[in-house]
């Protein structure tokens, strides 16, 4: 098999997920990385192989594109793999793909048409319905239409229409890239609502903020965080799914800006979910990484799918650590032009960005806790930031500070586990 040389990863963002991707490329190919972020981030601090370039106003389209072109000129002669874990940035990269490819970047994301079809949760649900993939009952609320129909005066009718669902309900944006740009009091990635008055308040804030998108009010699937699941897939340029990985979420993040992002995942195979995801990606003609969120419904054991994110996901290290290299599948396809057999993550590892002692507080099932203890005892506990090849004293101190800071965050936002 031919090997890729002269690779450089160019990442956009500054979170754990981007570092994990950079690490995957560095482990497999020795590739250095340049990460653009609007501010210097602790996640990249003191790294031996990641250069963090600060670009203020990075969320301005022209600023982003110009900064990427500047890096391409600086890195002339390198094979530049462009990566991001932000929905808004994915949309921007896809919209300006030709300009970025002309600058020398490998831009391996779905086409604009496919992205438009799957990036809204309504579009996702329509494809799932066609394929017989379970999704929650959902009531869409067009906030722009509410504004046109009278603003806050139109909110009570929208709340009444959502009354076909039983509370508690989940409220979240149909399009995450639109949600990225809006600001209002109490904004969260996902809103858990226990009564109609809370929905009324949320819709009022969105009307006031001029939110142009659709809010989805969704049936709540019962079960605690350990019933949440994650699936990562890669479908190549030839239309073949070449990577699949699934895992059981053990603990989610709870700060307002990161609510719902998995903080700990146990790699487990779910063949039915892999089969469903493969059919979905084949149906829409997808290319690149995709990250599905789904949940086991404890009432009937079904896996209920919520959405697909058009990217690899912030928690992607569970995939590589589980034995399916995110770097290798992308390079084989998009850099070397090679067909590759399907690889699945089969190694039972425990991905966690939080201290193990903190994680244990939130695991209420004794059998599951014993299993996690056993995985840790045999060396299966993995943290993407704890990388032996990037472990100078300064770097180790930074990583330990980031890890221990989760104790403060959980004490503030999620001091005790919820059973449902």
């Amino acid at each position: 098999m031919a090997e890729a040389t002269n690779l450089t990863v160019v990442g956009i963002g500054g979170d754990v997920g981007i570092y994990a991707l950079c690490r995957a490329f560095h482990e497999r190919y020795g590739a250095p990385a340049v990460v653009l972020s609007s501010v210097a981030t602790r996640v990249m601090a003191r790294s031996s192989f990641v250069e963090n370039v600060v670009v203020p106003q990075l969320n301005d389209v022209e600023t982003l594109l110009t900064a990427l072109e500047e890096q391409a000129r600086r890195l002339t002669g390198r094979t530049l793999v462009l990566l991001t874990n932000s929905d808004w940035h994915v949309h921007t990269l896809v919209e300006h793909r030709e300009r970025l490819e002309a600058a020398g970047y490998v831009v391996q994301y779905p086409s604009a048409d496919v992205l438009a079809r799957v990036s809204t949760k309504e579009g996702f649900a329509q494809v799932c319905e066609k394929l017989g993939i379970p999704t929650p009952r959902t009531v869409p609320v067009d906030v722009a239409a509410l504004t046109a129909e009278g603003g806050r005066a139109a909110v009570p009718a929208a709340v009444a229409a959502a009354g076909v669902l039983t509370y508690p309900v989940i409220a979240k944006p149909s399009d995450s890239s639109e949600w990225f740009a809006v600001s209002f009091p109490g904004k969260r990635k996902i809103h858990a609502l226990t009564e109609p008055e809370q929905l009324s308040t949320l819709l009022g804030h969105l009307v006031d903020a001029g939110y142009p998108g659709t809010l989805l009010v969704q049936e709540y699937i019962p079960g605690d965080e350990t019933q949440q699941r994650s699936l990562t897939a890669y479908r190549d340029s030839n239309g073949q799914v070449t990577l699949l990985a699934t895992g059981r979420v053990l603990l989610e993040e709870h700060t307002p800006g990161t609510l719902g992002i998995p903080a700990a995942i146990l790699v487990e195979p779910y063949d039915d979910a892999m089969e469903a995801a493969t059919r979905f990606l084949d149906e829409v003609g997808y290319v690149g990484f995709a990250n599905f969120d789904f949940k086991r419904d404890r009432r009937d054991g079904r896996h209920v799918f919520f959405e697909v994110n058009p990217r690899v996901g912030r928690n992607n290290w569970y995939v590589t650590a589980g034995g399916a290299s995110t770097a290798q599948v992308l390079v084989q396809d998009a850099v070397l032009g090679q067909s590759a057999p399907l690889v699945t993550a089969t190694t039972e590892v425990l991905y966690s960005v939080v201290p193990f002692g903190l994680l244990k507080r939130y695991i209420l099932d004794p059998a599951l806790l014993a299993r996690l203890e056993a995985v840790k005892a045999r060396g299966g506990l993995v943290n993407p930031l704890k990388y032996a090849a990037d472990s100078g004293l300064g770097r180790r101190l930074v990583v330990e500070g980031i890890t221990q800071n989760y104790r403060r965050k959980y004490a503030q936002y999620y001091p005790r586990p919820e059973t449902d």
Side-chain angles (χ1 to χ4, degrees):
M1 181 179 73
E3 284 290 338
T5 59
N6 225 26
L7 289 175
T8 295
V9 173
V10 178
I12 305 170
D15 64 16
V16 172
I18 289 295
Y19 181 86
L21 286 172
C22 294
R23 174 180 171 177
F25 276 81
H26 190 260
E27 278 196 352
R28 179 63 183 82
Y29 299 104
V34 176
V35 172
L36 308 184
S37 58
S38 56
V39 297
T41 71
R42 293 181 69 206
V43 168
M44 306 299 168
R46 303 289 186 92
S47 174
S48 62
F49 72 97
V50 178
E51 178 187 358
N52 191 187
V53 177
V54 176
V55 183
Q57 262 95 85
L58 194 60
N59 292 328
D60 173 76
V61 172
E62 189 56 37
T63 299
L64 171 62
L65 296 175
T66 299
L68 288 171
E69 288 170 335
E70 289 175 355
Q71 291 303 315
R73 287 191 292 270
R74 184 171 75 91
L75 298 166
T76 297
R78 307 286 299 180
T79 299
L80 305 179
V81 179
L82 186 55
L83 298 171
T84 185
N85 264 329
S86 157
D87 290 338
W88 183 86
H89 287 128
V90 168
H91 282 262
T92 302
L93 301 188
V94 170
E95 182 179 353
H96 299 278
R97 187 195 305 267
E98 290 185 7
R99 178 173 169 180
L100 293 166
E101 289 179 340
Y105 285 102
V106 175
V107 186
Q108 191 69 341
Y109 291 94
S111 69
D113 289 344
V114 170
L115 185 61
R117 186 177 182 189
V118 305
S119 61
T120 67
K121 295 175 180 64
E122 300 109 307
F124 174 78
Q126 288 170 3
V127 176
C128 287
E129 183 177 10
K130 177 180 178 180
L131 299 176
I133 299 172
T135 59
R137 293 181 64 203
T138 302
V139 175
V141 181
D142 185 336
V143 179
L146 278 188
T147 302
E149 292 165 4
R152 282 185 170 267
V155 166
V159 174
V164 297
L165 303 176
T166 301
Y167 284 81
V169 297
I170 300 297
K172 57 188 178 182
S174 172
D175 187 335
S176 297
S177 63
E178 291 177 332
W179 196 254
F180 176 83
V182 72
S183 178
F184 61 90
K187 177 183 174 182
R188 293 175 175 267
K189 187 181 177 199
I190 299 170
H191 289 256
L193 310 176
T194 59
E195 56 187 9
E197 290 74 16
Q198 292 177 327
L199 177 58
S200 178
T201 299
L202 176 58
L203 290 173
H205 285 320
L206 290 172
V207 167
D208 292 345
Y211 179 59
T214 297
L215 184 76
L216 301 182
V217 186
Q218 203 166 73
E219 170 193 13
Y220 173 69
I221 305 299
D224 67 8
E225 292 179 8
T226 65
Q227 302 305 315
Q228 299 282 359
R229 304 289 188 262
S230 179
L231 185 151
T232 302
Y234 183 87
R235 189 171 185 270
D236 71 13
S237 305
N238 299 314
Q240 298 298 312
V241 172
T242 57
L243 178 147
L244 287 166
T246 53
R248 177 195 296 206
V249 176
L250 303 169
L251 180 65
E252 296 178 337
E253 296 202 24
H254 283 265
T255 57
T258 60
L259 182 65
I261 294 175
I265 296 175
L266 179 67
V267 172
E268 286 185 334
Y270 302 115
D271 292 341
D272 63 321
M274 291 183 186
E275 185 273 337
T278 299
R279 286 192 292 119
F280 182 98
L281 297 174
D282 288 343
E283 171 67 22
V284 301
Y286 198 93
V287 172
F289 285 109
N291 179 230
F292 293 81
D293 293 331
F294 62 109
K295 187 175 184 179
R296 179 184 179 274
D297 189 336
R298 68 184 187 194
R299 296 169 297 188
D300 54 19
R302 295 184 309 159
H303 283 142
V304 180
F305 281 72
F306 298 121
E307 63 183 337
V308 61
N309 299 298
R311 47 188 170 77
V312 69
R314 179 171 173 171
N315 48 63
N316 63 81
W317 189 248
Y318 84 90
V319 181
T320 299
S325 170
T326 53
Q328 183 166 316
V329 293
L330 190 152
V331 168
Q332 284 183 289
D333 175 34
V335 176
L336 299 176
Q338 297 174 342
S339 297
L342 172 66
V343 59
T344 58
T346 56
T347 302
E348 186 185 48
V349 296
L350 170 56
Y351 161 96
S352 180
V353 296
V354 304
F356 186 70
L358 178 62
L359 172 61
K360 287 171 57 178
R361 295 183 196 171
Y362 294 90
I363 305 301
L364 303 180
D365 179 350
L368 177 58
L369 181 57
R371 183 178 168 194
L372 300 182
E373 294 272 16
V375 172
K376 179 178 182 294
R378 65 170 179 266
L381 176 63
V382 297
N383 181 328
L385 299 181
K386 296 183 178 181
Y387 178 26
D390 195 18
S391 59
L393 176 59
R395 177 65 185 173
R396 293 201 307 272
L397 291 173
V398 167
V399 170
E400 191 61 26
I402 292 171
T403 305
Q404 296 303 325
N405 192 42
Y406 279 104
R407 297 185 186 277
R408 178 190 61 79
K409 291 179 179 180
Y410 280 88
Q412 180 178 356
Y413 294 103
Y414 190 51
R416 61 186 62 83
E418 296 175 3
T419 56
D420 201 344

